[in-house]
Amino acid sequence: MSSNAAIELKHITKTFGSIVANKDVSLTVRRGEILSILGENGSGKTTLMNMISGIYFPDSGQIFIDGKEVVIKSPRDAFDYKIGMIHQHFKLVDVFSATENIVLGLNDGKFNIKESAVKVKALADKYGFEIDPAKKIYDMSVSEKQTVEILKVLYRGADILILDEPTAVLTPQETSKLFDVLRKMKEDGKSIIIITHKLHEVLSLSDYVAVLRKGEYIGTVKTSETNESELTEMMVGKKIDLNIKREKPVNPVDRLVVKGLNCVNREGVKVLNNVSFTVRSGEILGIAGIAGSGQRELLEAIAGLQHLEDGDIFYNNPKTNHVDNLRDKTPVQIRELGVRLSFVPEDRLGMGLVGNMDIIDNMMLRSYKKGVSPFLERKTPKELAEKIIESLEVVTPSAQTPVRRLSGGNVQKVLVGREIAATPTVLMVAYPVRGLDINSSYMIYDLLNEQKEKGTAVVFVGEDLDVLIALCDRIIVIGGGTITGEVVGTEAKKEEIGLLMTKSSGGAKDE
Amino acid sequence: MLIAFLQRAVLQGIPLLFGSTGEILTEKSGNLNLGTAGVMYVGGISGVIGSFLYEQSHTDLNAFWAIFIPILCCLFGSLVMGLIYSFLTVTLRANQNVTGLALTTFGVGFGNFFGGSLIKLTKSDVPSITLSRTSLFFNKSLPFASNLGWFGKVFLSYSFLTYVAIAIALIMTFYLNKTRSGLNLKAVGENSATADAAGINVYRYKYFSTCIGSMVAGLGGLYYVMDYASGIWSNDAFGDRGWLAIALVIFAIWRPNMSIIGSILFGGLFIVHNYIPNLSMGDQELFQMLPYVVTIIVLIVISMRKRRENQPPACLGLNYFREDR
């Protein structure tokens, strides 16, 4: 290929167990060039970059830097090859100043913070960063922290910069400022790889776009010769028929009416912006969106775990035909009403199950308040545990096995099974098939369909658009905390949803 | 009388100063060594054993060896304690609180066992070992101090270990704030994962700071026997000075230079009941609570002010393991 390639990947493959994270990926970045890596969640973008920065090691394939084949075994090696990665989660010491963080771990002669601060300032001025080298990290905004991270790799002399979704945490103004800086670096001859799933950013910033889909390398196109719809098609691919049965909803009644929901997170950033939608009984409502667009907060708001700034959640109680506003209820009261949340976080055990406790004890977490005597009553939960193990085919030595020893899929079955066992009227599941193999996934889909037939209102937050389209009766799309659209499941097009997902109202208006 | 009070306060405070500077160094690496009381106890008895053997085998004591042998033994004893703690918590990743408390129990038991054995060897009728000959060397103060009036009495009348303690505290302040290694150490205690990613050897820093911290703390035990108690060791006389040293770490908000002032203040509070006339036994005990009360007040104040620099190292008490992120 071109002789001035700064970094070149050839046929990189990486698997985690039976899951293929990257398959036969080849990329080239030249000096003074910006390459975007575009792909849905779980398409293997971050895994690929982690292999360049020495966190993972590829199973097969080669990496060339300046035309020479290299082996990158650790972050140290990557650093020696002048590769710097800016992670989504910052690695900074809060009580240190910007300069202290930047020089941390370095060994560049005499130790003098003041002199280093001058160098940091000069470096920042060169690329147009605004930073106070003496400012403490805990006083900084997210974008300032990101600046420190970028300066950290520049200070170490990085020529190849990898940014993992750098704009996810930035405001539009900050994003365009960052892009100006990146363009300056490009003029300076640095190679930049930026991971993103925001199409307009890709188009405004990069020279080339490489697209990954489900770990596979789809292709690289020149940005000036492509457009949004072509990229979307490359990103989401053609519709796949999954053969999930979908019955027509029987007598749907409005069960939950969400009106004008507003939420801010702990950092004071608005995560839900005027969200309104309706959940009906006997149907599955899908929620599509890029991870971190507010799905979690939305579900937590309904479950009473998230403080609402504004808005109402009306619950139509089928037993009494009363309409309750869930806003005034405690999480326990909401659960009593039959609104159940089964959230499968990235680490699976983080929320909902206690890893060191066995299946029976985990069942009891939800029923301990039913006890009347001060002593534990373990018989009913034991029966429930055994029923779940049998009906959901949970692979476990016994009901007394600590949950953390089970494999991921079995943990999820236990979690979903427990929530379903309570005969909910509203069942909310988030990423219930995350990391599951095909068979277990279908079992979960069947469970959800079973609940739907029983008249439960099911809310399904998913990542895989094919599944959402095949399973859900209606799909709402959330982007940047706002509802960007609603489609009917039977008529939905993947491309349409894909476009809605990337269309966040607060997106950067760059250039 | 005020001068005498100050002198006594310093004498009381210096063991705490050794203990707390050692513990600050340890805690800066994120290791919460609650075994400091045990470490100081072992430091004390190790020095006593060394000087006991030297005194027994020589009739004429050489000033250099009389000082050098106990100090070396003390450093060795407390180094072993630091190594045990580091091995358990850093290498084996045992719970730091449990390990620390176990070390305290072990250290006190170790000290009382060997203390008791030595007392038996001397066949003395009082339950104590007297090493007054060695103590004389330790207690030497500057000869011209007494000629300088109150200034000499307040500032120059102490034994050399007193100045060593203050020097260590000042050097440690400089180390933590002005050197690259100090910055790295603080990073380890604040955010071990970040330090690791920056290429700092987290385990090595934890080992070194814990072991050196223990040796410094151990000197506090030796000072107590040789200077404060004039060379007389009796079991359990050390009391709860180890815990006071840990309280002093909090009082000094993890700053060695602050702990110089803090230790003398604590020493003063600890003995102030002797200087207030007509106190009953019960009231004396109440006065002895003062250092702890002050610590609690400081804790409340720094928690309320929420200044991030005044908080304990963020990773204090947490063991670091690269793979569990």
Side-chain angles (χ1 to χ4, degrees):
Chain A
M1 281 211 198
S2 153
S3 58
N4 57 348
I7 183 161
E8 197 175 343
L9 309 184
K10 279 188 180 167
H11 312 295
I12 296 283
T13 297
K14 173 82 185 168
T15 55
F16 294 104
S18 60
I19 297 162
V20 182
N22 284 134
K23 193 176 157 193
D24 201 16
V25 180
S26 301
L27 289 178
T28 309
V29 193
R30 279 164 277 269
R31 298 255 167 247
E33 198 175 86
I34 299 179
L35 174 81
S36 293
I37 298 193
L38 187 67
E40 283 184 273
N41 298 317
S43 55
K45 296 169 295 195
T46 304
T47 307
L48 184 64
M49 291 306 108
N50 279 340
M51 280 188 277
I52 303 177
S53 60
I55 292 170
Y56 297 148
F57 194 72
D59 295 345
S60 65
Q62 297 152 293
I63 301 176
F64 294 87
I65 288 175
D66 292 328
K68 268 177 276 177
E69 183 170 359
V70 295
V71 179
I72 303 171
K73 272 185 286 197
S74 71
R76 270 258 125 138
D77 289 355
F79 166 54
D80 289 341
Y81 293 119
K82 304 198 166 192
I83 299 169
M85 180 149 174
I86 292 106
H87 295 269
Q88 241 177 317
H89 305 284
F90 305 136
K91 284 200 180 301
L92 297 169
V93 179
D94 272 352
V95 294
F96 284 9
S97 70
T99 313
E100 284 171 333
N101 265 294
I102 289 167
V103 300
L104 186 64
L106 268 181
N107 221 337
D108 55 350
K110 207 170 143 270
F111 180 74
N112 187 331
I113 283 290
K114 278 196 190 122
E115 272 173 31
S116 304
V118 174
K119 273 197 248 169
V120 168
K121 188 81 193 147
L123 192 64
D125 289 343
K126 183 178 170 193
Y127 294 110
F129 285 111
E130 283 165 29
I131 193 171
D132 173 7
K135 198 169 175 181
K136 294 280 168 85
I137 300 297
Y138 60 79
D139 278 334
M140 289 189 175
S141 69
V142 182
S143 91
E144 284 176 295
K145 287 181 192 172
Q146 189 177 56
T147 305
V148 176
E149 283 282 9
I150 297 174
L151 283 173
K152 203 159 102 180
V153 300
L154 289 176
Y155 194 88
R156 284 160 165 72
D159 277 339
I160 301 165
L161 278 89
I162 304 166
L163 296 102
D164 190 358
E165 304 204 9
T167 60
V169 288
L170 300 185
T171 64
Q173 292 79 10
E174 289 166 344
T175 303
S176 69
K177 218 183 257 173
L178 172 70
F179 284 2
D180 288 340
V181 169
L182 293 181
R183 287 192 194 97
K184 268 194 199 141
M185 289 183 193
K186 171 186 153 181
E187 281 161 26
D188 199 41
K190 308 233 182 254
S191 312
I192 296 164
I193 303 177
I194 175 167
I195 299 177
T196 183
H197 44 232
K198 294 185 185 160
L199 283 174
H200 59 94
E201 290 178 357
V202 169
L203 292 169
S204 77
L205 181 70
S206 59
D207 301 304
Y208 287 88
V209 189
V211 184
L212 298 182
R213 187 203 307 154
K214 292 186 179 147
E216 276 183 63
Y217 173 63
I218 304 301
T220 305
V221 288
K222 205 164 182 192
T223 314
S224 52
E225 293 164 4
T226 187
N227 55 45
E228 263 188 47
S229 61
E230 188 193 351
L231 287 176
T232 311
E233 201 186 307
M234 286 175 78
M235 192 164 103
V236 294
K238 295 273 176 288
K239 189 176 186 298
I240 309 160
D241 194 11
L242 285 163
N243 277 326
I244 301 172
K245 65 167 180 174
R246 172 166 49 195
E247 307 287 336
K248 270 238 152 62
V250 189
N251 312 321
V253 197
D254 288 3
R255 184 65 69 218
L256 271 184
V257 181
V258 177
K259 274 190 184 154
L261 227 51
N262 284 301
C263 273
V264 293
N265 68 5
R266 235 178 283 153
E267 282 86 44
V269 179
K270 198 152 197 178
V271 281
L272 289 182
N273 189 2
N274 207 9
V275 170
S276 304
F277 62 94
T278 307
V279 190
R280 301 200 185 99
S281 68
E283 71 166 22
I284 299 181
L285 175 74
I287 299 181
I290 287 151
S293 302
Q295 297 97 319
R296 181 188 188 134
E297 288 80 5
L298 178 60
L299 297 195
E300 287 186 354
I302 297 173
L305 302 171
Q306 181 87 29
H307 175 73
L308 302 183
E309 287 292 297
D310 199 9
D312 297 293
I313 303 160
F314 295 109
Y315 172 68
N316 188 349
N317 195 331
K319 284 171 202 144
T320 57
N321 274 327
H322 271 300
V323 176
D324 298 300
N325 192 344
L326 296 187
R327 193 185 170 164
D328 315 322
K329 306 266 187 226
T330 64
V332 175
Q333 285 172 325
I334 293 172
R335 291 185 52 78
E336 294 298 311
L337 286 170
V339 179
R340 296 287 163 144
L341 171 63
S342 149
F343 190 97
V344 180
E346 276 100 350
D347 56 349
R348 287 203 190 110
L349 286 173
M351 206 168 136
L353 295 176
V354 180
N356 281 334
M357 293 183 359
D358 64 24
I359 302 176
I360 300 173
D361 286 348
N362 271 297
M363 295 297 138
M364 292 178 69
L365 282 182
R366 287 295 197 228
S367 62
Y368 72 99
K369 281 204 168 148
K370 287 190 189 134
V372 279
S373 76
F375 300 104
L376 290 177
E377 195 260 311
R378 291 173 67 96
K379 217 176 129 209
T380 333
K382 187 168 185 232
E383 282 163 9
L384 176 62
E386 275 159 3
K387 205 180 109 198
I388 289 175
I389 291 170
E390 199 195 307
S391 62
L392 300 189
E393 295 169 26
V394 179
V395 182
T396 171
S398 76
Q400 276 87 8
T401 309
V403 171
R404 82 184 138 78
R405 293 237 197 98
L406 307 185
S407 77
N410 288 305
V411 169
Q412 263 148 275
K413 285 185 202 166
V414 171
L415 183 60
V416 176
R418 183 183 69 189
E419 298 306 321
I420 290 173
T423 57
T425 51
V426 177
L427 177 66
M428 298 185 284
V429 286
Y431 315 117
V433 298
R434 203 173 239 173
L436 292 195
D437 57 38
I438 299 290
N439 270 330
S440 315
S441 302
Y442 273 80
M443 188 166 281
I444 302 269
Y445 302 145
D446 287 345
L447 276 172
L448 296 178
N449 266 323
E450 204 177 286
Q451 289 298 310
K452 169 184 162 182
E453 277 162 39
K454 281 186 188 160
T456 309
V458 181
V459 180
F460 176 88
V461 177
E463 290 170 310
D464 192 326
L465 293 184
D466 292 317
V467 171
L468 279 165
I469 290 170
L471 179 72
C472 301
D473 300 296
R474 285 182 303 134
I475 299 165
I476 56 172
V477 186
I478 189 167
T482 47
I483 303 286
T484 51
E486 179 174 334
V487 289
V488 178
T490 45
E491 299 161 7
K493 293 271 180 314
K494 236 176 136 173
E495 293 71 27
E496 185 189 359
I497 298 176
L499 272 180
L500 286 170
M501 275 165 63
T502 46
K503 185 184 96 182
S504 65
S505 59
K509 294 282 174 290
D510 197 70
E511 287 183 341
Chain B
M1 187 170 104
L2 183 67
I3 290 171
F5 172 68
L6 271 176
Q7 284 180 322
R8 296 295 298 171
V10 170
L11 208 55
Q12 273 286 355
I14 294 304
L16 308 182
L17 179 57
F18 275 115
S20 68
T21 38
E23 179 69 8
I24 288 172
L25 187 69
T26 306
E27 291 196 11
K28 280 289 176 190
S29 76
N31 275 356
L32 176 65
N33 189 356
L34 292 181
T36 293
V39 173
M40 291 173 80
Y41 214 85
V42 168
I45 192 68
S46 305
V48 165
I49 294 171
S51 92
F52 180 82
L53 295 177
Y54 182 63
E55 269 199 23
Q56 294 287 307
S57 55
H58 292 74
T59 39
D60 276 332
L61 296 190
N62 173 310
F64 173 75
W65 291 112
I67 287 174
F68 186 72
I69 291 175
I71 287 187
L72 196 70
C73 292
C74 161
L75 289 178
F76 178 76
S78 34
L79 171 66
V80 170
M81 290 292 274
L83 276 173
I84 296 174
Y85 181 86
S86 310
F87 179 70
L88 284 172
T89 62
V90 180
T91 306
L92 301 182
R93 295 193 295 276
N95 181 300
Q96 295 192 5
N97 294 336
V98 177
T99 308
L101 293 175
L103 269 196
T104 292
T105 319
F106 167 74
V108 172
F110 178 91
N112 285 346
F113 174 75
F114 282 96
S117 308
L118 292 187
I119 290 166
K120 274 205 170 158
L121 280 181
T122 56
K123 299 198 176 65
S124 110
D125 22 334
V126 282
S128 60
I129 313 155
T130 311
L131 301 163
S132 38
R133 285 194 293 161
T134 310
S135 172
L136 277 180
F137 292 112
F138 272 89
N139 269 324
K140 278 251 162 55
S141 57
L142 293 172
F144 54 85
S146 47
N147 304 334
L148 294 169
W150 65 270
F151 179 83
K153 279 186 185 149
V154 174
F155 292 104
L156 302 171
S157 64
Y158 308 105
S159 65
F160 77 96
L161 269 182
T162 312
Y163 301 106
V164 168
I166 292 168
I168 289 176
L170 292 175
I171 290 169
M172 208 178 286
T173 307
F174 177 81
Y175 167 76
L176 286 172
N177 294 325
K178 297 283 175 207
T179 68
R180 186 187 305 282
S181 170
L183 185 76
N184 291 353
L185 174 64
K186 283 193 288 180
V188 168
E190 288 290 343
N191 192 334
S192 312
T194 297
D196 194 24
I200 296 166
N201 190 331
V202 172
Y203 299 139
R204 191 195 293 161
Y205 269 93
K206 279 183 173 254
Y207 258 92
F208 269 92
S209 75
T210 306
C211 290
I212 294 171
S214 288
M215 295 201 294
V216 172
L219 284 176
L222 185 68
Y223 178 94
Y224 171 79
V225 184
M226 293 304 172
D227 286 48
Y228 179 82
S230 311
I232 297 168
W233 170 277
S234 44
N235 283 351
D236 288 326
F238 189 64
D240 45 12
R241 286 180 173 78
W243 296 108
L244 262 180
I246 293 176
L248 184 56
V249 172
I250 301 164
F251 179 87
I253 46 177
W254 290 268
R255 288 174 196 173
N257 51 354
M258 278 288 290
S259 84
I260 299 175
I261 302 158
S263 64
I264 295 166
L265 177 71
F266 269 38
L269 289 172
F270 206 60
I271 52 160
V272 73
H273 61 88
N274 290 328
Y275 292 82
I276 298 169
N278 306 326
L279 279 182
S280 72
M281 284 291 276
D283 291 343
Q284 289 192 5
E285 294 291 329
L286 281 178
F287 269 93
Q288 293 213 324
M289 277 171 34
L290 278 175
Y292 300 100
V293 173
V294 170
T295 304
I296 292 172
I297 292 169
V298 167
L299 263 180
I300 293 171
V301 170
I302 62 172
S303 307
M304 273 175 13
R305 286 185 54 207
K306 282 188 179 147
R307 269 202 58 191
R308 292 291 295 272
E309 284 88 350
N310 292 346
Q311 300 303 318
C315 283
L316 186 61
L318 304 175
N319 294 332
Y320 179 65
F321 180 46
R322 185 182 288 170
E323 253 94 299
D324 58 34
R325 284 177 206 269

